[in-house]
Amino acid sequence: MKKIYLFGNWKMNMSYNEIATFSKEFNAGIRTSTSLTEKTDFCLFVPFTLIPRAVNELRPTAVGAQNVSEYDRGAYTGEVSAAMVKETGARYAIVGHSERRHIYGETSAQVNLKALKCLENGLTPVICVGETLDERESGKTIEVVREQLCTGIKNITADATYLIAYEPVWAIGTGRAASAHDAEEVCAFIKTITCVPVLYGGSVKPSNAAEIFTQPSVDGGLIGGASLRAAEFLNILKNYRSFEIQA
Ligand code: PGA
């Protein structure tokens, strides 16, 4: 049985009260099915304000932040440092999500500083990389991913704990996931540069999880929309595991 990372990115969704409903269903789901917890690492990346409550309600499931500042402290209005995130009980942080790169103009150099701040403060960064549709169509996928990856992991030591998420921008929130072949091709390329777990993200749902997660270079998923409802999130794993058992 392959180890799977099932990571959920709630983005700017969910409320203080909605966590209670999610946790009840999620906790019951993993309690009643040992095959779901076996060889599976879960993490839910929730909005900053919801982290303490999520840590409490989802325990022992890991909770993460969706971003951290590249600075330690000071006059950076609206920012949250990796040390502050760590104090909440979060264990992971996403850095370089394409929505941060494309909506807020984050560069790969900033993503690298954020990843280093996570590591300095005991958080495991999930460094996101991925090409836009234009870049894919003009044959630049590997070039773009190489630049984002090599800059993103600069000065990170070989023994550091981190993950990479390959998320093609055109597949995020569109319902159009990459084909299993395309996901594998890029994840395999990433593994020629760094030997850490590589997740695929972009329209992962229960119906396509098995074909994507069975790819040899894919270690799991970073899941947006389908992580907002506990049953759907867990069904992604259930479908994959039952396919794995039959195979
Ligand atoms: P999606 O989002 O699953 O809704 O496509 C993935 C992500 O942005 O991490």
Side-chain angles (χ1 to χ4, degrees), residues 7-9 11 94 97-99 128 165 167-168 171-176 200-205 222-227:
F7 283 8
N9 174 13
K11 310 193 179 187
I94 294 175
H97 190 278
S98 70
E99 286 149 18
C128 300
E167 299 205 305
I172 296 177
T174 58
R176 178 186 164 198
Y200 166 80
S203 297
V204 175
K205 46 193 172 226
L222 182 56
I223 297 141
S227 71

Short mmCIF file of all heavy atoms in Angstrom, two decimals, residues 7-9 11 94 97-99 128 165 167-168 171-176 200-205 222-227, ligand 1:
data_model
loop_
_atom_site.label_atom_id
_atom_site.label_comp_id
_atom_site.label_asym_id
_atom_site.label_seq_id
_atom_site.Cartn_x
_atom_site.Cartn_y
_atom_site.Cartn_z
N PHE A 7 -4.10 16.35 1.30
CA PHE A 7 -4.03 17.70 1.83
C PHE A 7 -5.16 18.54 1.24
O PHE A 7 -5.38 18.53 0.03
CB PHE A 7 -2.67 18.34 1.47
CG PHE A 7 -1.51 17.86 2.32
CD1 PHE A 7 -1.64 16.81 3.22
CD2 PHE A 7 -0.27 18.48 2.23
CE1 PHE A 7 -0.57 16.38 4.01
CE2 PHE A 7 0.81 18.06 3.02
CZ PHE A 7 0.66 17.01 3.90
N GLY A 8 -5.88 19.23 2.12
CA GLY A 8 -7.02 20.03 1.67
C GLY A 8 -6.74 21.52 1.83
O GLY A 8 -6.26 21.95 2.88
N ASN A 9 -7.00 22.28 0.78
CA ASN A 9 -6.77 23.73 0.81
C ASN A 9 -8.14 24.42 0.77
O ASN A 9 -8.78 24.46 -0.27
CB ASN A 9 -5.91 24.11 -0.41
CG ASN A 9 -5.74 25.61 -0.56
OD1 ASN A 9 -6.05 26.38 0.35
ND2 ASN A 9 -5.24 26.03 -1.72
N LYS A 11 -8.76 27.51 1.04
CA LYS A 11 -8.71 28.88 0.49
C LYS A 11 -9.49 29.83 1.40
O LYS A 11 -9.52 29.62 2.61
CB LYS A 11 -9.21 28.89 -0.95
CG LYS A 11 -8.53 27.81 -1.79
CD LYS A 11 -8.72 27.94 -3.25
CE LYS A 11 -7.97 26.81 -3.94
NZ LYS A 11 -7.95 26.93 -5.39
N ILE A 94 1.38 26.28 3.22
CA ILE A 94 1.53 26.33 1.76
C ILE A 94 2.31 27.60 1.44
O ILE A 94 2.05 28.66 2.03
CB ILE A 94 0.13 26.43 1.09
CG1 ILE A 94 -0.67 25.15 1.31
CG2 ILE A 94 0.27 26.72 -0.41
CD1 ILE A 94 -2.12 25.22 0.78
N HIS A 97 1.41 29.31 -3.62
CA HIS A 97 0.22 28.87 -4.36
C HIS A 97 0.03 29.77 -5.57
O HIS A 97 0.32 30.98 -5.50
CB HIS A 97 -1.02 28.92 -3.44
CG HIS A 97 -2.20 28.26 -4.08
ND1 HIS A 97 -2.99 28.91 -4.99
CD2 HIS A 97 -2.71 27.01 -3.95
CE1 HIS A 97 -3.93 28.07 -5.41
NE2 HIS A 97 -3.79 26.91 -4.78
N SER A 98 -0.48 29.24 -6.66
CA SER A 98 -0.58 30.05 -7.89
C SER A 98 -1.49 31.26 -7.70
O SER A 98 -1.30 32.29 -8.35
CB SER A 98 -1.06 29.20 -9.06
OG SER A 98 -2.40 28.87 -8.88
N GLU A 99 -2.46 31.16 -6.77
CA GLU A 99 -3.30 32.35 -6.52
C GLU A 99 -2.48 33.46 -5.86
O GLU A 99 -2.73 34.64 -6.10
CB GLU A 99 -4.53 31.95 -5.69
CG GLU A 99 -5.53 31.17 -6.54
CD GLU A 99 -6.37 30.13 -5.82
OE1 GLU A 99 -6.47 30.17 -4.59
OE2 GLU A 99 -6.92 29.25 -6.53
N CYS A 128 4.42 25.27 -3.86
CA CYS A 128 3.62 25.02 -5.06
C CYS A 128 4.30 25.53 -6.31
O CYS A 128 4.89 26.62 -6.31
CB CYS A 128 2.26 25.71 -4.95
SG CYS A 128 1.29 25.15 -3.55
N ALA A 165 4.07 20.73 -4.36
CA ALA A 165 2.76 20.47 -4.98
C ALA A 165 2.83 20.98 -6.41
O ALA A 165 3.11 22.16 -6.64
CB ALA A 165 1.65 21.16 -4.21
N GLU A 167 0.79 22.07 -9.31
CA GLU A 167 -0.59 22.50 -9.57
C GLU A 167 -0.64 23.33 -10.85
O GLU A 167 -0.36 24.53 -10.83
CB GLU A 167 -1.10 23.35 -8.41
CG GLU A 167 -1.12 22.64 -7.08
CD GLU A 167 -2.15 23.23 -6.14
OE1 GLU A 167 -2.11 24.44 -5.89
OE2 GLU A 167 -3.02 22.49 -5.68
N PRO A 168 -0.97 22.69 -11.98
CA PRO A 168 -1.09 23.48 -13.21
C PRO A 168 -2.20 24.51 -13.04
O PRO A 168 -3.31 24.16 -12.60
CB PRO A 168 -1.45 22.44 -14.28
CG PRO A 168 -1.78 21.17 -13.58
CD PRO A 168 -1.30 21.26 -12.17
N ALA A 171 -5.71 24.04 -14.28
CA ALA A 171 -6.50 22.94 -13.73
C ALA A 171 -7.13 23.30 -12.39
O ALA A 171 -7.97 22.57 -11.87
CB ALA A 171 -5.62 21.70 -13.57
N ILE A 172 -6.72 24.44 -11.82
CA ILE A 172 -7.18 24.79 -10.48
C ILE A 172 -8.58 25.39 -10.52
O ILE A 172 -8.80 26.41 -11.20
CB ILE A 172 -6.19 25.76 -9.80
CG1 ILE A 172 -4.84 25.05 -9.59
CG2 ILE A 172 -6.75 26.27 -8.47
CD1 ILE A 172 -3.77 25.94 -9.00
N GLY A 173 -9.49 24.73 -9.84
CA GLY A 173 -10.86 25.25 -9.71
C GLY A 173 -11.64 25.25 -11.02
O GLY A 173 -12.69 25.87 -11.11
N THR A 174 -11.15 24.58 -12.04
CA THR A 174 -11.80 24.62 -13.36
C THR A 174 -12.60 23.36 -13.64
O THR A 174 -13.33 23.29 -14.61
CB THR A 174 -10.75 24.74 -14.48
OG1 THR A 174 -9.85 23.63 -14.37
CG2 THR A 174 -9.97 26.04 -14.37
N GLY A 175 -12.40 22.32 -12.81
CA GLY A 175 -13.05 21.04 -13.08
C GLY A 175 -12.27 20.24 -14.11
O GLY A 175 -12.60 19.10 -14.41
N ARG A 176 -11.24 20.83 -14.68
CA ARG A 176 -10.46 20.17 -15.72
C ARG A 176 -9.08 19.80 -15.15
O ARG A 176 -8.15 20.60 -15.17
CB ARG A 176 -10.30 21.16 -16.89
CG ARG A 176 -9.48 20.64 -18.03
CD ARG A 176 -9.25 21.73 -19.08
NE ARG A 176 -8.16 21.32 -19.97
CZ ARG A 176 -7.49 22.15 -20.74
NH1 ARG A 176 -7.80 23.44 -20.76
NH2 ARG A 176 -6.53 21.71 -21.52
N TYR A 200 -0.07 16.25 -6.46
CA TYR A 200 -0.70 16.88 -7.62
C TYR A 200 -1.91 17.66 -7.11
O TYR A 200 -2.65 17.19 -6.24
CB TYR A 200 -1.17 15.83 -8.66
CG TYR A 200 -2.09 16.48 -9.66
CD1 TYR A 200 -1.57 17.24 -10.71
CD2 TYR A 200 -3.49 16.45 -9.48
CE1 TYR A 200 -2.40 17.93 -11.56
CE2 TYR A 200 -4.32 17.14 -10.34
CZ TYR A 200 -3.77 17.88 -11.37
OH TYR A 200 -4.60 18.59 -12.21
N GLY A 201 -2.13 18.85 -7.65
CA GLY A 201 -3.32 19.63 -7.30
C GLY A 201 -3.94 20.24 -8.54
O GLY A 201 -3.22 20.62 -9.49
N GLY A 202 -5.26 20.36 -8.53
CA GLY A 202 -5.99 20.94 -9.67
C GLY A 202 -7.14 20.04 -10.04
O GLY A 202 -6.95 19.05 -10.75
N SER A 203 -8.33 20.39 -9.50
CA SER A 203 -9.57 19.66 -9.82
C SER A 203 -9.53 18.17 -9.47
O SER A 203 -10.13 17.35 -10.15
CB SER A 203 -9.96 19.86 -11.29
OG SER A 203 -10.23 21.24 -11.53
N VAL A 204 -8.82 17.83 -8.38
CA VAL A 204 -8.88 16.44 -7.90
C VAL A 204 -10.24 16.23 -7.26
O VAL A 204 -10.73 17.09 -6.51
CB VAL A 204 -7.77 16.13 -6.87
CG1 VAL A 204 -7.93 14.73 -6.29
CG2 VAL A 204 -6.39 16.29 -7.49
N LYS A 205 -10.88 15.11 -7.57
CA LYS A 205 -12.19 14.78 -6.99
C LYS A 205 -12.28 13.27 -6.86
O LYS A 205 -11.40 12.56 -7.37
CB LYS A 205 -13.31 15.36 -7.86
CG LYS A 205 -13.14 15.13 -9.34
CD LYS A 205 -14.11 15.98 -10.14
CE LYS A 205 -13.75 15.86 -11.61
NZ LYS A 205 -13.71 17.03 -12.35
N LEU A 222 -3.20 17.90 -3.40
CA LEU A 222 -3.56 19.14 -2.71
C LEU A 222 -4.91 19.53 -3.31
O LEU A 222 -5.01 19.83 -4.50
CB LEU A 222 -2.49 20.22 -2.94
CG LEU A 222 -2.73 21.57 -2.23
CD1 LEU A 222 -2.90 21.40 -0.72
CD2 LEU A 222 -1.57 22.53 -2.49
N ILE A 223 -5.93 19.46 -2.47
CA ILE A 223 -7.30 19.47 -2.97
C ILE A 223 -8.04 20.71 -2.49
O ILE A 223 -8.10 20.97 -1.28
CB ILE A 223 -8.00 18.17 -2.50
CG1 ILE A 223 -7.28 16.96 -3.12
CG2 ILE A 223 -9.48 18.17 -2.86
CD1 ILE A 223 -7.14 15.80 -2.19
N GLY A 224 -8.57 21.48 -3.41
CA GLY A 224 -9.27 22.71 -3.07
C GLY A 224 -10.75 22.45 -2.85
O GLY A 224 -11.18 22.02 -1.78
N GLY A 225 -11.55 22.70 -3.89
CA GLY A 225 -13.01 22.62 -3.79
C GLY A 225 -13.52 21.34 -3.13
O GLY A 225 -14.41 21.39 -2.27
N ALA A 226 -12.92 20.22 -3.48
CA ALA A 226 -13.42 18.94 -2.96
C ALA A 226 -12.97 18.67 -1.52
O ALA A 226 -13.25 17.60 -0.98
CB ALA A 226 -12.99 17.81 -3.88
N SER A 227 -12.28 19.64 -0.89
CA SER A 227 -11.92 19.42 0.52
C SER A 227 -12.86 20.16 1.46
O SER A 227 -12.71 20.10 2.68
CB SER A 227 -10.47 19.89 0.79
OG SER A 227 -10.38 21.30 0.75
P1 PGA B 1 -9.04 22.75 -6.75
O1 PGA B 1 -7.88 23.62 -6.08
O2 PGA B 1 -8.93 21.35 -6.22
O3 PGA B 1 -10.32 23.43 -6.36
O4 PGA B 1 -8.81 22.79 -8.24
C1 PGA B 1 -6.59 23.09 -5.82
C2 PGA B 1 -5.71 24.13 -5.19
O5 PGA B 1 -5.80 25.31 -5.57
O6 PGA B 1 -4.90 23.82 -4.30
#
